[in-house]
Amino acid sequence: MIGTIFNVGMILIGSFVGSYFKKGIKPAYNEILTQALGLVAMMVGINAVVQHMPKSHYPVLFIVSLAIGGLIGQWLDLEKHFNNLVNKFSKPNPDGGSNLAEGLATAVLLYCIGSLSILGPIQAALNKDYTFLFTNGMLDGITSIVLASTFGIGMALAAVAVLCWQGSIYLIAMLLQNSINNNMITELTIVGGILILASGLGLLNIKKIKVLNLLPSLVIPIVVIGVMQLF
């Protein structure tokens, strides 16, 4: 858990530093930073999909995952509940959304859905190797500065999601050391890349997608491949 604690600490530090800069940033600069983040999110998502799609042994699994996960997320209406919660602590936009909510959704995806964030806890659990998590922590620290300078100190809340996410992966890896394989990580990263891309589209105001309602899609590849391993 040393690597995860370092990762969380870097996000918190970056959020406080970024929120300090936010006080003196004019709206025009906030807008360009948001657009920059949108472009970054899109490229991170595209890169994840392009890199891992050729390695996939289940070429239609990401389609099934997004479809089933989207239906579950819409039924639970995760987006609405999340916005309602965040809007208690921030001023909502006229369209009913929240800058902080959008920023947090983007941050959680950027921090949690990536090879380093997934492989890092696994490497730490199986091999006591914290290289991936230390590297990821440095990258997340820089990203959190940019995010907090745009969306404010509330971005520090994303550290809680990272702690839960990486902590869960670490514990699962400890319990199921022989069950985790590259296929599961590949499919999870493809779906995650698509969600990050969708988040970027929203930041650029190209298309507002209910990304949070699609989050259950991340569970489907784990369940499907896990069941297939049993047979």
Side-chain angles (χ1 to χ4, degrees):
M1 292 294 288
I2 296 174
T4 295
I5 292 172
F6 174 79
N7 202 155
V8 169
M10 290 301 296
I11 291 173
L12 291 174
I13 293 172
S15 296
F16 282 107
V17 172
S19 66
Y20 174 79
F21 289 125
K22 179 178 173 63
K23 297 177 182 178
I25 294 180
K26 297 179 180 179
Y29 293 102
N30 272 330
E31 182 181 1
I32 196 65
L33 280 174
T34 303
Q35 292 174 350
L37 287 171
L39 291 172
V40 169
M42 287 188 65
M43 291 311 301
V44 169
I46 291 171
N47 182 62
V49 174
V50 170
Q51 278 195 341
H52 291 83
M53 189 70 78
K55 304 175 186 177
S56 174
H57 292 91
Y58 312 95
V60 299
L61 182 54
F62 77 95
I63 301 174
V64 175
S65 299
L66 287 167
I68 296 176
L71 290 173
I72 295 172
Q74 186 63 44
W75 176 60
L76 296 172
D77 208 351
L78 299 177
E79 186 101 2
K80 179 181 178 181
H81 293 308
F82 183 76
N83 281 332
N84 288 341
L85 177 63
V86 175
N87 285 342
K88 293 180 180 179
F89 307 98
S90 64
K91 295 180 180 180
N93 289 329
D95 59 3
S98 168
N99 285 331
L100 180 56
E102 187 175 30
L104 278 173
T106 302
V108 169
L109 288 170
L110 284 173
Y111 294 153
C112 296
I113 309 305
S115 298
L116 292 176
S117 191
I118 296 171
L119 291 174
I122 295 175
Q123 285 283 73
L126 303 184
N127 305 318
K128 303 302 178 184
D129 183 353
Y130 304 104
T131 305
F132 284 174
L133 285 176
F134 286 150
T135 302
N136 195 58
M138 295 300 295
L139 293 172
D140 286 351
I142 296 172
T143 303
S144 65
I145 292 176
V146 179
L147 285 168
S149 67
T150 304
F151 298 104
I153 189 60
M155 299 309 299
L157 294 173
V160 178
V162 173
L163 180 62
C164 295
W165 171 257
Q166 292 186 2
S168 298
I169 294 176
Y170 181 88
L171 292 175
I172 292 172
M174 290 290 290
L175 294 172
L176 307 173
Q177 295 187 24
N178 298 321
S179 300
I180 297 175
N181 57 42
N182 291 331
N183 289 335
M184 190 178 293
I185 295 173
T186 296
E187 300 304 326
L188 182 62
T189 305
I190 291 172
V191 175
I194 294 173
L195 297 187
I196 295 174
L197 172 61
S199 180
L201 291 173
L203 287 173
L204 291 171
N205 290 320
I206 295 175
K207 176 66 178 179
K208 292 292 182 182
I209 299 172
K210 294 183 177 180
V211 179
L212 291 176
N213 283 355
L214 290 170
L215 281 182
S217 303
L218 294 170
V219 180
I220 307 301
I222 299 174
V223 173
V224 171
I225 295 177
V227 170
M228 292 179 68
Q229 286 181 347
L230 296 177
F231 300 96

